[in-house]
Amino acid sequence: EFQATLSRTFPVPLFAAFAAWADASLRGEWLDAPELSFTKLNAGRNIRARWPDGARLDIRFNATGPDRCQIVVDTMKLDDGEAVRRAKAFWQAQFERLERYFKV
């Protein structure tokens, strides 16, 4: 079982970063993952999700200042190193989309 982790810090408050993920209408504006199923939301802390293939996500939010938030995406239960590479590339692209959404 393999895991991929990717993180990025955005110049937005934690509440705005969390809302961009937790609110389905906001999420639809930037996240290109309609098959991703959100399973648990802990307001302002983390979100759990799952892919149809069984891979699981833990998305964590850490305030790094009054107007800065680090987002960490752990993708777990991956099959091999190639799946790790694909997961990192996917989340790198999604972070770039989120950055444009925030108009950073």
Side-chain angles (χ1 to χ4, degrees):
E1 185 174 300
F2 291 79
Q3 177 174 327
T5 300
L6 199 65
S7 69
R8 183 165 306 170
T9 300
F10 295 92
V12 297
L14 186 141
F15 75 86
F18 190 83
W21 288 77
D23 183 297
S25 63
L26 298 178
R27 188 170 62 243
E29 293 185 34
W30 67 271
L31 183 62
D32 185 20
E35 64 279 1
L36 189 62
S37 170
F38 283 56
T39 58
K40 185 173 185 178
L41 282 81
N42 294 311
R45 298 187 64 211
N46 76 316
I47 295 172
R48 299 278 171 100
R50 125 176 5 140
W51 290 106
D53 68 0
R56 299 185 188 277
L57 295 176
D58 184 27
I59 304 141
R60 295 185 310 280
F61 301 83
N62 304 302
T64 58
D67 292 321
R68 293 179 58 81
C69 181
Q70 178 191 45
I71 301 172
V72 180
V73 177
D74 286 322
T75 307
M76 301 161 282
K77 297 191 176 274
L78 297 170
D79 293 332
D80 53 30
E82 178 58 23
V84 170
R85 187 197 64 72
R86 285 191 312 269
K88 285 185 175 187
F90 174 81
W91 287 111
Q92 180 66 40
Q94 299 312 301
F95 278 164
E96 289 169 11
R97 291 171 60 101
L98 182 58
E99 199 168 67
R100 288 190 299 274
Y101 169 79
F102 287 139
K103 295 175 178 59
V104 174

